[in-house]
Amino acid sequence: IKKIAVLTSGGDAPGMNAGIRAVVRAGIFNNLEVFGVRRGYDGLVNGEIFPMDAKSVANIIQRGGTILKTARSEAFKTIEGRKQAYDNLRSHEIDAMVVIGGDGTFTGASKFIDEFDFPIIGLPGTIDNDLAGTDFTIGYDTAINTVIQAVDKIRDTAESHDRVFVIEVMGRDSGLIAIRSGISTGAEAVLVPEFEVDYDAIMKRLDKSRKNKSSRIIIVAEGDKEGGMIVSEKIKENFPHYDVRLSILGHIQRGGSPTCMDRVLASRLGVAAVEALVAGRRGEMAGLICSEIRFTPFKSAIKHNVKLNEDLLRIIEILSL
Ligand code: F6P
């Protein structure tokens, strides 16, 4: 291969810029020409493809978001869109690509490879951490650190007013943000989509923990069947004398300067992705398992394969006394 492209797709995640930088510079190091694609697969379909050099990725490793911009592309879901994308890549003589994103990104990449036999390697970029084949996705560590900073602040005010706070965190189909931020902020309960919620047990726990603490925090993953609003209503109904508040953290979780963990992860995986393409690999996601680089086929990396460790929920229960 002589020319590669790089794009970011789906929800942005802190550390994507570190990944772009690593792909561009590792590409140049391997004597490849590197192109950037703006706005994910939409940009591929619309021909927003431009040459990148070492300078174009200077001073971005510390920045949140993605300098390439991103999109959730409808056009790329159609065969006409993917054909147009392929023609645009070929018109620049690009012969391989690195895509940074999550589940939807790899589903699209997988189809594209099947149809056009085009070499693609993926980097896991999503705050949700809901991909198999890597211990952590790029952006997850920054997001959970953003969440714990916010929850610590809420704890200060909750404690001052003897309040119960329901805090909804991101994770469309996954409780992984909720569970780690719950453990690290001493939440009294965490509700995740992966497990059926036993409301009786949660109410008992809230009541019991009252004698030891004046504030209580329940973290609810966005993907939970009920969601933060209904959970807070249920608590109010059960305990009319509790002072209950709801806080939905929202998109602050997706922004901000990436942590050291995310910068190093993205840098390692970016280099690994380019080396993999040069070595002839394709159709796989580069991930890190027990600190070693591992490659997983896109079809196995997507999120229905991700298991949430039930032991983490047990820890929350034990420590919530
Ligand atoms: O996939 C990452 C994520 O932040 C999910 O946790 C969330 O449900 C979704 O993106 C929100 O997407 P959007 O910004 O497009 O509303």
Side-chain angles (χ1 to χ4, degrees), residues 9-16 72 100-106 123-132 134 136-144 170-172 174 176-177 253-254 262 265 285 301 303:
S9 159
D12 63 335
M16 278 184 163
R72 301 189 196 277
I100 311 177
D103 194 69
T105 307
F106 297 159
L123 298 195
T126 163
I127 64 163
D128 290 356
N129 201 32
D130 56 350
L131 290 166
T134 190
F136 299 108
T137 55
I138 297 163
Y140 176 63
D141 186 65
T142 308
I144 52 181
M170 273 188 168
R172 196 188 348 235
S174 164
L176 288 163
I177 293 179
Q253 295 164 91
R254 284 239 296 263
D262 277 329
L265 177 66
M285 181 195 84
K303 62 190 158 204

